[in-house]
Amino acid sequence: MSTAVVAAAGRRTPSAVIGGLPCGRRVPRGQVRWYLIRVREGSEQSTCERLLRLVPRSILRDCFVLRRESWRKNAGAWHLQVSVAYKGYVFAVTDDPAALYKALSQLSVSAQIAGADGRAWMPLSPDAQAWFERCADERHVLRSSVAVIEDGELHVIEGPLVGCEKSICDVDRHHRRCMVSVPGANGCFTELMPLVVPVRN
């Protein structure tokens, strides 16, 4: 399973999911929220840098690429690599999506607010935003965690998943990863996260 694969679970309509992530309701102008911006795949970082140069910070407070660590085995040794978590998307932080929509439409940059129709803009759901804010580091990277199994129970002892044991719904020790179910008002979405569970001899 690719680290970019995200399964949308729970009872939701297709309009509640953009880019594999749940979206919340429209909010009044003035509330700072995250919005998904659709860009050309492979140009995520360069597009963020251009938007931060071209769009006033009064409109675009921040723009970033969400990345995820994953474990890869090469020549018998495990290595961590970092890749874009949501290919073809970046995250914009704004309190005025209408102004951002207008600013993007005036640029020669391939970037559009995902799900926008010129009248409505749906932000990322509050639950998803809060989970990413908690689990991603200051560079917006979802880092690997370490866990142990004691008395048949999984205990995360290091990394962003500390305290999230009840949300971990599947552990793949062989590939050093797990699925995390993130509950919210729109149902749940699942996120593939790197996790090491050392084998004790």
Side-chain angles (χ1 to χ4, degrees), residues 156-175:
V156 182
I157 59 175
E158 181 182 330
L161 295 181
V162 169
C164 296
E165 288 86 354
K166 291 183 179 180
S167 298
I168 298 174
C169 50
D170 186 30
V171 176
D172 185 342
R173 297 177 72 176
H174 180 68
H175 293 98

Side-chain angles (χ1 to χ4, degrees), residues 1-3 68-74 76-81 142-147 154 161 168 170-180 191-200:
M1 182 182 293
S2 167
T3 58
R68 181 190 292 107
E69 288 187 334
S70 60
W71 288 95
R72 293 289 184 269
K73 198 170 188 179
N74 185 19
W78 285 98
H79 303 277
L80 273 173
Q81 69 176 31
L142 298 168
R143 300 289 182 183
S144 182
S145 297
V146 178
L154 184 76
L161 295 181
I168 298 174
D170 186 30
V171 176
D172 185 342
R173 297 177 72 176
H174 180 68
H175 293 98
R176 297 190 172 191
R177 62 193 184 190
C178 68
M179 294 300 295
V180 181
E191 191 70 44
L192 188 64
M193 291 286 286
L195 177 69
V196 177
V197 185
V199 178
R200 294 182 177 180

Side-chain angles (χ1 to χ4, degrees), residues 20-126:
L21 287 171
C23 290
R25 297 178 179 179
R26 289 178 290 168
V27 296
R29 179 179 174 180
Q31 291 189 16
V32 179
R33 296 288 295 276
W34 290 10
Y35 293 81
L36 280 168
I37 305 294
R38 186 178 294 108
V39 302
R40 286 199 306 270
E41 190 171 321
S43 71
E44 292 89 355
Q45 185 59 43
S46 61
T47 300
C48 276
E49 293 170 357
R50 291 187 66 188
L51 293 180
L52 287 171
R53 288 197 309 267
L54 298 172
V55 180
R57 288 301 179 90
S58 59
I59 297 174
L60 182 61
R61 297 194 177 199
D62 196 10
C63 187
F64 60 88
V65 181
L66 188 67
R67 293 184 170 86
R68 181 190 292 107
E69 288 187 334
S70 60
W71 288 95
R72 293 289 184 269
K73 198 170 188 179
N74 185 19
W78 285 98
H79 303 277
L80 273 173
Q81 69 176 31
V82 180
S83 58
V84 176
Y86 293 91
K87 295 181 179 180
Y89 292 92
V90 301
F91 292 77
V93 182
T94 183
D95 62 355
D96 193 346
L100 178 59
Y101 179 87
K102 182 177 179 180
L104 294 178
S105 67
Q106 296 172 344
L107 300 176
S108 59
V109 179
S110 179
Q112 300 86 31
I113 299 180
D117 61 5
R119 299 182 305 277
W121 303 272
M122 292 189 297
L124 190 66
S125 76

